[in-house]
Amino acid sequence: MTQHFDADVITAVLSHMNGDHVADNHTIVHAFADLAASDVAMVGFDGDGGDWEYTDAAGERILTRIPWPTEVVERKDVRRAVVELHRAAVARHADSRGAPESS
C-alpha cells in the first residue's frame, strides 16, 4: 500500500526542495525524464515516488513521476530517497558523458 503524507509534511518538503535544491531538481528531471527540461519544480510525492513539473523544449508544462530508489515510509525516508535519486541522476549524467559516440 502506498504511503501518503500529511499536507504539512508535503508542504515543508516541497518548500525545501524548491527553495534550497533547485539545481538538484533539474539534475533529477534531466536524468530520468527530459534532458531539455527547464523551470523544474517538485510538486508532490508519496511513498512510491516524487512528482516534478517542468517546461519541455516545445514550451509545454509536463508532469512526470519518478519512482524512489529506496523504500519511503516515514518523513525521514523522503530525504534519503531524494539524496539517493540525486546520486543516481549524477551517475547517469556521468555515464552518458563518458559513453563512446555511436556510428
Side-chain angles (χ1 to χ4, degrees):
M1 181 188 324
T2 300
Q3 174 65 30
H4 295 279
F5 295 90
D6 292 336
D8 61 327
V9 170
I10 293 171
T11 299
V13 170
L14 296 181
S15 176
H16 177 70
M17 287 300 297
N18 294 321
D20 297 342
H21 296 287
V22 173
D24 296 345
N25 287 333
H26 280 262
T27 299
I28 291 166
V29 170
H30 288 165
F32 297 109
D34 185 345
L35 191 56
S38 63
D39 192 27
V40 177
M42 189 175 194
V43 295
F45 66 91
D46 60 23
D48 294 333
D51 302 310
W52 281 265
E53 189 174 76
Y54 65 92
T55 302
D56 70 6
E60 298 292 321
R61 289 301 289 168
I62 306 294
L63 179 65
T64 190
R65 180 156 185 86
I66 301 171
W68 299 131
T70 187
E71 184 178 40
V72 171
V73 178
E74 299 178 27
R75 179 182 179 157
K76 66 180 178 144
D77 299 333
V78 176
R79 180 184 185 283
R80 181 174 37 88
V82 170
V83 168
E84 288 185 28
L85 190 60
H86 181 261
R87 286 181 183 153
V90 169
R92 181 176 278 202
H93 285 300
D95 288 347
S96 68
R97 281 190 214 105
E101 303 244 348
S102 58
S103 331

